[in-house]
Amino acid sequence: MTFQLILNLLIGVIWMFLSESYSFASFIVGFVIGAALLYLLNRFIPDSYYFKHVRAILYLIFLFIKELLLANIEVLKWVYKPRLNFQPGILALPIDVKKNWEITLLANLITLTPGTLSVDVSRDQRYIYIHALDLPDVNETIVSIKESFEKAIREVTR
């Protein structure tokens, strides 16, 4: 991934010098041309195409924004209900991510989403303990988190 990014940046700089236009727009044009060339010649380069990771990062950001908006709407509905009939609870989420920064990112994404709070990570780093404001079905919540945030984090890192 790093080799391709450096090569793409170099193509952008070379394009800027060849076009004799030393502006940021000229560099961006060269960068886009370099990205297209790297995509076309990807089978000759040993690494996987690095833009795949950029796409996965953008997907993770948009997923978080979507979940943030949906959770805010849900919490807003609870606030304005005349009777509070939610079921708070704590669950142990089994996690498949292994690196410390992946676990930290997952725990922070869970905590930043309204209605959930990452309480602790088990000593063996196999579980994250989560407090949820409304926990009607534990298995559904686990599957939801694993299929959204954890899957997106794995796409970024692998």
Side-chain angles (χ1 to χ4, degrees), residues 98-151:
K98 300 297 178 204
K99 297 176 186 167
N100 285 338
W101 73 271
E102 293 173 333
I103 295 170
T104 303
L105 179 61
L106 178 61
N108 284 330
L109 289 176
I110 291 168
T111 298
L112 289 171
T113 306
T116 56
L117 175 69
S118 299
V119 179
D120 196 12
V121 177
S122 65
R123 290 208 185 271
D124 60 358
Q125 295 183 339
R126 294 179 55 211
Y127 295 96
I128 295 179
Y129 297 101
I130 301 169
H131 177 273
L133 192 58
D134 188 25
L135 194 60
D137 186 10
V138 175
N139 291 330
E140 180 182 324
T141 304
I142 289 173
V143 168
S144 171
I145 293 173
K146 289 185 83 51
E147 289 297 316
S148 60
F149 287 141
E150 190 173 14
K151 183 178 177 184

Side-chain angles (χ1 to χ4, degrees), residues 10-70:
L10 185 62
I11 291 171
V13 171
I14 291 171
W15 178 266
M16 191 172 63
F17 285 124
L18 288 176
S19 66
E20 295 182 2
S21 173
Y22 307 109
S23 66
F24 184 69
S26 176
F27 173 76
I28 293 297
V29 168
F31 187 83
V32 169
I33 290 171
L37 285 173
L38 284 173
Y39 180 74
L40 292 173
L41 301 173
N42 189 33
R43 63 181 160 168
F44 302 114
I45 299 173
D47 295 334
S48 65
Y49 187 55
Y50 80 95
F51 245 62
K52 180 179 106 176
H53 295 286
V54 173
R55 200 173 337 143
I57 290 169
L58 290 175
Y59 174 75
L60 179 62
I61 291 169
F62 286 122
L63 174 70
F64 173 68
I65 291 171
K66 180 191 89 160
E67 292 293 328
L68 182 69
L69 290 174
L70 292 176

Side-chain angles (χ1 to χ4, degrees), residues 83-98:
R83 285 199 183 145
L84 298 178
N85 56 354
F86 53 87
Q87 303 167 345
I90 294 180
L91 66 106
L93 175 72
I95 55 175
D96 297 327
V97 290
K98 300 297 178 204

